[in-house]
Amino acid sequence: MKIKMLCMSLLASAALAAAEGPNLLKNPDFKDKDSYRKEWVWGSMGDEIFDVRYDKEKEAVSIASSSNEFSGYLGQKVKVTPGKRYVCRARTLLPRGRILLYAIGYTKDGETLGTQGRIWDYSFADNPLFPHFIPREYSPGGGVTDWKSISFELTPKENIDHYEIKVGSYFGEGIMFVRSVEFREIQ
């Protein structure tokens, strides 16, 4: 019975994976041999509070912020087809702070159409009141600080030519790790 259930789970996983196209982002796992941030552009309101580096032990980009005063993100532009559905996801570890994964839409002329999709996560794990006075249910993911995937889906409108996918620290003091970012067409 267990083998049958395992086989059915594997088949379901394969069917889901086949329902998505290839990852449209370049260097999505930050493991380019020449530069972990190749293809990714860093932008922030205050670079002095951020420490961005590749953590070999965790095999992920580490974004540490010493203040909740500013946000900082790694970003990459990707061309899209209006009317098609896409999924955007990131594999993250959030010991403390706030993370935001989002997509900004642009026209062919480069005019910004604003945020089109987003998901954020935060952790109370470093708070001395957690989990006794700040209940686990108040923290997304129940305060779990293991690796997890965050994701959202979006369908570009006719006037959207491309998205800029961004992931990073959202006005939060702390540290986060991003192992991979995906942007795939749902077929």
Side-chain angles (χ1 to χ4, degrees):
M1 184 67 164
K2 289 181 182 179
I3 293 175
K4 185 177 181 180
M5 288 178 62
L6 177 64
C7 289
M8 290 180 70
S9 293
L10 289 172
L11 286 172
S13 296
L16 283 174
E20 295 178 358
N23 193 350
L24 300 174
L25 297 173
K26 295 177 178 135
N27 194 27
D29 58 6
F30 307 100
K31 289 184 182 177
D32 183 274
K33 64 180 180 171
D34 298 323
S35 169
Y36 71 92
R37 283 195 340 206
K38 185 176 181 179
E39 307 294 342
W40 292 93
V41 176
W42 172 256
S44 75
M45 300 174 206
D47 283 345
E48 64 276 4
I49 68 164
F50 292 100
D51 181 19
V52 183
R53 63 179 69 182
Y54 187 79
D55 185 304
K56 290 180 184 177
E57 181 183 316
K58 289 190 172 37
E59 297 181 325
V61 167
S62 160
I63 301 173
S65 173
S66 61
S67 168
N68 62 2
E69 192 175 359
F70 301 117
S71 291
Y73 304 96
L74 289 167
Q76 187 175 144
K77 293 183 179 177
V78 61
K79 189 126 172 83
V80 293
T81 304
K84 301 272 186 176
R85 283 183 38 223
Y86 294 88
V87 62
C88 184
R89 70 173 64 95
R91 188 88 176 130
T92 63
L93 175 66
L94 185 60
R96 154 186 98 151
R98 286 184 261 189
I99 191 168
L100 176 62
L101 172 66
Y102 69 110
I104 300 173
Y106 291 88
T107 65
K108 284 183 182 179
D109 299 330
E111 177 188 347
T112 182
L113 299 173
T115 300
Q116 304 293 309
R118 70 177 151 217
I119 186 164
W120 53 87
D121 195 6
Y122 54 91
S123 174
F124 288 127
D126 66 323
N127 191 307
L129 300 177
F130 181 83
H132 303 291
F133 297 101
I134 299 174
R136 288 187 183 277
E137 60 267 18
Y138 289 0
S139 184
V144 175
T145 56
D146 294 332
W147 286 98
K148 66 180 177 181
S149 289
I150 57 174
S151 66
F152 61 87
E153 292 183 12
L154 65 167
T155 304
K157 297 176 184 167
E158 279 189 35
N159 55 346
I160 294 180
D161 176 68
H162 62 279
Y163 287 123
E164 183 172 16
I165 307 302
K166 292 190 167 205
V167 62
S169 176
Y170 176 69
F171 294 103
E173 182 179 348
I175 187 165
M176 68 186 60
F177 300 91
V178 180
R179 185 171 278 166
S180 67
V181 183
E182 298 176 30
F183 189 78
R184 299 175 185 271
E185 182 183 332
I186 299 172
Q187 300 176 342

